[in-house]
Amino acid sequence: MDAVVRSAPLIPPAPKVHPRPLGGSALGELRIALEMGRSLIGAYCEEDFESLVTPYTFMGQHGLFVNDPASVRQVLTSPKYQRPVKAARSLKPLVGEGVLMSEGETWRRQRKSLAPVFTPAATGGLLPHFIAAGAGLTEALQDKDRANLAQAFHRATLDAVLRALFSRRADAEGAMLADLARRYMEGPAHFNLMDFVAKGADDLLFMDGERRRIGKRWFTAVDALIAERRAHPHAEVRDLLDRLLAARTEDGAPLPDQEIRDQSSSMLAAGFETTSRLLFWAAYLLALAPDTQGRIRAEVLAFPAERVASLDDLKHWPLMRSALFETLRLYPSAPMIARQAVEADEVLGCAVVPGCTITISPWVIHRHRKLWDAPTTFRPERFLDQPHPWGVEAFLPFGAGPRVCIGAGFALAEAQIILASLLARFGIGLAGQRPVIPVASITLGPDHEPDFTLTPISQARP
């Protein structure tokens, strides 16, 4: 008999998978719209996790649901496809016309001007901001035996991004921005029936009153932070705003004020919201997997976060890195990607005509039964032997192709340092037994925010 006690595989809770497709009739399409209004991952059926490509018709629009990794990359890298115009409806009021929302030549120019802002060298220069945010998180949790870590991570990642972008802490204007972003992501950011009916980003705007009201307040706060920097510039480059103000277009001109605001808004909204969710889901999984949590803690006690001086220092935490990748596999930050054909094409033997919508779901691809071994199991070791997990064909947590997330390196460095700071100080568990089910809108959040137990780590650091 094997003397080694093996723990059962951890299969974290997930939304129900419908036994059969919900569509096929007007009533079925309405049900799909309602399910997706509640959660973008709420309408999938068993067949979706087995098929590699499925033609569909939804509200008169022909489309393909594509799970084949090679075909996904074909679509995301080809100029024959562009993002549907109305896809910007739910996020544009918060990020404007920045690199997240722009298209065509405007997007190419913006992406090129932002490239120096997100080089490894530039990200390495921001590590002290991430370390300070991690220290702020543990200080806020000091002497507590339980906490809502969803809220704690939300504040900590906003703190990290505000420090990195504006050299500001998450207080005063920062606290107000955190509240606005949270209200937006938990309410107006969700797709609604009008988003499916609308033909473009600016159709039926009379239904988007709350989005526009929160967006106006958000832009006013961001404008004020930028105006303050223009009035009191730094003598040397200290943060991302300094780099944006110093950036130049191809003809040598400074970036327009609105573009600086929209890029700053994009970095704020996308930067802290997605990283906050990544940290929440990682903490949830590690609370359910205490053995893995303990092994990661050993890594960070051997090399504490405050010793990190370069991106290379993050290599001291290989299991943590793998656990974050496995978290992104099970809980991808962007659970759905859509593209619209502008030219005829063929995808895995299916004809594509102009106007056809291609639906790509990292949520489904990352859990697809033909693409992964034990796809619903939390197994971070699967990434330990992958020095460059972006090379794993069925793994696309930051998208793929030209529009792959420009801030991926920033987000991963931030997440590793903040999580290391927490685990070095506390053992984390769950205060209750209620399963946490992911709900998808712009990002993938929890259906409720559980309390976590916090147990101080008494072991002295080396």
Side-chain angles (χ1 to χ4, degrees):
M1 181 177 177
D2 189 352
V4 178
V5 178
R6 302 184 185 277
S7 58
L10 171 59
I11 301 177
K16 69 177 181 179
V17 177
H18 300 279
R20 292 175 298 278
L22 299 182
S25 67
L27 185 60
E29 290 188 359
L30 178 60
R31 187 179 175 191
I32 289 175
L34 292 174
E35 291 280 4
M36 294 181 68
R38 288 189 285 264
S39 173
L40 289 178
I41 59 174
Y44 294 124
C45 66
E46 294 287 345
E47 179 184 319
D48 293 326
F49 294 88
E50 297 280 354
S51 66
L52 294 178
V53 61
T54 304
Y56 69 85
T57 301
F58 182 68
M59 293 190 173
Q61 174 71 53
H62 295 293
L64 287 179
F65 183 51
V66 180
N67 293 321
D68 175 60
S71 300
V72 166
R73 281 170 168 74
Q74 170 190 335
V75 170
L76 294 181
T77 59
S78 171
K80 295 181 179 181
Y81 301 89
Q82 65 181 14
R83 191 167 48 185
V85 175
K86 66 180 180 181
R89 283 179 58 87
S90 66
L91 198 55
K92 185 177 177 180
L94 203 67
V95 301
E97 301 285 352
V99 72
L100 282 178
M101 295 291 104
S102 59
E103 294 287 349
E105 189 56 41
T106 300
W107 173 82
R108 282 186 283 274
R109 177 183 60 77
Q110 290 185 359
R111 182 85 178 201
K112 186 174 182 179
S113 67
L114 285 178
V117 177
F118 289 102
T119 62
T123 300
L126 300 174
L127 294 176
H129 294 301
F130 302 156
I131 293 170
L137 170 69
T138 58
E139 181 180 349
L141 297 175
Q142 187 175 0
D143 299 326
K144 293 185 178 181
D145 58 6
R146 60 191 291 163
N148 180 331
L149 288 185
Q151 293 183 9
F153 286 139
H154 206 70
R155 185 177 180 87
T157 53
L158 177 65
D159 192 30
V161 175
L162 282 171
R163 289 174 185 271
L165 182 56
F166 295 122
S167 295
R168 297 288 293 269
R169 296 190 61 180
D171 51 17
E173 296 96 333
M176 186 262 286
L177 284 168
D179 177 66
L180 289 176
R182 193 175 187 83
R183 285 170 52 199
Y184 194 94
M185 292 299 180
E186 292 178 354
H190 284 266
F191 282 85
N192 56 52
L193 187 59
M194 292 300 102
D195 293 325
F196 292 110
V197 173
K199 300 299 183 183
D202 298 323
D203 288 351
L204 306 174
L205 290 183
F206 66 91
M207 299 293 294
D208 286 349
E210 189 176 6
R211 288 175 177 172
R212 288 183 286 127
R213 282 192 295 273
I214 295 178
K216 183 178 180 180
R217 292 183 60 194
W218 172 274
F219 283 141
T220 298
V222 174
D223 280 336
L225 289 170
I226 295 171
E228 181 181 346
R229 176 61 53 81
R230 286 193 181 278
H232 305 284
H234 291 152
E236 57 186 17
V237 173
R238 290 171 49 185
D239 53 34
L240 292 175
L241 180 57
D242 289 333
R243 294 184 180 276
L244 284 173
L245 292 171
R248 293 294 181 268
T249 62
E250 291 183 349
D251 60 5
L255 300 183
D257 286 350
Q258 181 177 332
E259 184 170 326
I260 291 175
R261 183 202 68 184
D262 290 353
Q263 303 299 13
S264 297
S265 294
S266 296
M267 284 186 248
L268 268 173
F272 83 86
E273 173 66 19
T274 56
T275 309
S276 170
R277 295 309 190 194
L278 168 58
L279 285 166
F280 168 80
W281 290 118
Y284 181 63
L285 290 168
L286 293 178
L288 295 173
D291 290 347
T292 301
Q293 181 185 154
R295 291 162 59 200
I296 293 175
R297 179 172 296 105
E299 289 183 343
V300 301
L301 289 175
F303 195 92
E306 53 265 31
R307 288 177 57 187
V308 173
S310 70
L311 293 179
D312 282 343
D313 286 337
L314 301 179
K315 295 177 182 177
H316 286 89
W317 306 329
L319 183 58
M320 179 199 286
R321 176 177 178 272
S322 299
L324 287 173
F325 286 139
E326 180 72 340
T327 302
L328 285 168
R329 186 185 70 81
L330 289 168
Y331 303 100
S333 300
M336 180 178 289
I337 302 169
R339 292 292 184 268
Q340 192 165 46
V342 294
E343 297 181 32
D345 197 12
E346 182 177 298
V347 174
L348 210 65
C350 296
V352 176
V353 299
C356 178
T357 298
I358 308 297
T359 300
I360 298 164
S361 172
W363 170 266
V364 173
I365 292 171
H366 288 180
R367 293 166 176 260
H368 201 282
R369 295 158 192 165
K370 293 183 179 179
L371 302 176
W372 298 89
D373 178 41
T376 59
T377 300
F378 175 60
R379 187 191 294 170
E381 291 79 8
R382 73 175 84 228
F383 286 104
L384 278 175
D385 297 327
Q386 298 290 343
H388 302 290
W390 317 130
V392 178
E393 198 175 36
F395 186 59
L396 57 157
F398 295 104
R403 296 194 76 110
V404 68
C405 178
I406 194 173
F410 177 105
L412 286 170
E414 176 190 355
Q416 287 177 84
I417 289 173
I418 290 176
L419 186 58
S421 301
L422 176 70
L423 294 181
R425 292 284 300 276
F426 301 101
I428 56 174
L430 289 164
Q433 299 296 317
R434 179 183 170 187
V436 180
I437 307 297
V439 176
S441 57
I442 298 297
T443 57
L444 201 66
D447 67 338
H448 71 284
E449 296 179 353
D451 274 357
F452 286 76
T453 60
L454 301 174
T455 304
I457 301 301
S458 57
Q459 178 181 347
R461 297 180 180 180

